Amino acid sequence: MCIEGSQGCENPKPSLTDLVVLEHGLYAGDPVSKVLLKPLTGRTHQLRVHCSALGHPVVGDLTYGEVSGREDRPFRMMLHAFYLRIPTDTECVEVCTPDPFLPSLDACWSPHTLLQSLDQLVQALRATPDPDPEDRGPRPGSPSALLPGPGRPPPPPTKPPETEAQRGPCLQWLSEWTLEPDS
């Protein structure tokens, strides 16, 4: 990883990430923001590097974050693949997991200002057409243009929202999985 023009930087490659702020709050008393990141390129540590370069490293990132003297908290890096879509020649593989960053799962997280609904953003991502792999120009459907935000109406729902009966077992499994001590 290097920045073009810096000493020792040979063959720099572009990297792009779209970022949408979802919530503001506190984590263990420190001000933090919950964000949705969409990598438009696939560079090593891209999301972590971009957040750090903005002056807002991922909570718990001991490599690109700030040393605080409280490295025991949180118990993991607060970076999670919430929604993945991998288009192939034969099908589009989609995976959406429950949101692990909830006060009920981590008592250190205390949200106070909701800016964007995660469910609405995922619906917008699902409705976004996949880019043509042959097209080498600008990527169509950049989420900054397609995701709901100030002055943009939310997209129509593409499928019924998940019910509490569906969400409950997933959250239970996630809470058991994340709280197991390392072996």
Side-chain angles (χ1 to χ4, degrees):
M1 162 192 88
C2 65
I3 298 172
E4 188 173 14
S6 62
Q7 184 178 4
C9 182
E10 298 175 18
N11 192 25
K13 296 182 177 113
S15 62
L16 298 169
T17 301
D18 275 345
L19 180 146
V20 177
V21 179
L22 302 172
E23 285 182 280
H24 295 298
L26 299 173
Y27 190 85
D30 294 325
V32 296
S33 296
K34 181 176 175 179
V35 299
L36 178 74
L37 300 168
K38 181 179 179 186
L40 301 177
T41 55
R43 307 288 176 231
T44 302
H45 299 186
Q46 174 177 322
L47 301 177
R48 296 166 62 196
V49 169
H50 284 175
C51 287
S52 182
L54 290 171
H56 299 281
V58 173
V59 173
D61 187 342
L62 300 179
T63 301
Y64 299 104
E66 299 172 11
V67 176
S68 65
R70 293 173 27 184
E71 279 68 33
D72 61 327
R73 205 179 240 175
F75 59 94
R76 60 169 273 202
M77 184 174 9
M78 297 295 157
L79 183 63
H80 174 74
F82 178 76
Y83 174 74
L84 296 173
R85 179 167 68 191
I86 305 167
T88 68
D89 292 337
T90 57
E91 67 179 328
C92 181
V93 178
E94 287 185 289
V95 177
C96 190
T97 64
D99 180 0
F101 305 126
L102 301 171
S104 60
L105 297 175
D106 187 343
C108 292
W109 167 234
S110 176
H112 59 70
T113 307
L114 177 67
L115 302 172
Q116 294 278 334
S117 162
L118 188 55
D119 292 333
Q120 284 182 339
L121 294 176
V122 170
Q123 287 178 3
L125 288 170
R126 285 186 167 148
T128 304
D130 293 318
D132 181 353
E134 301 300 318
D135 181 16
R136 299 288 180 220
R139 296 180 84 113
S142 169
S144 57
L146 292 172
L147 294 176
R152 293 184 297 241
T158 55
K159 70 179 201 175
E162 183 178 55
T163 66
E164 286 302 315
Q166 293 168 321
R167 189 174 176 89
C170 292
L171 290 174
Q172 178 63 34
W173 174 85
L174 183 64
S175 68
E176 292 169 1
W177 179 80
T178 58
L179 296 178
E180 289 180 8
D182 292 335
S183 299

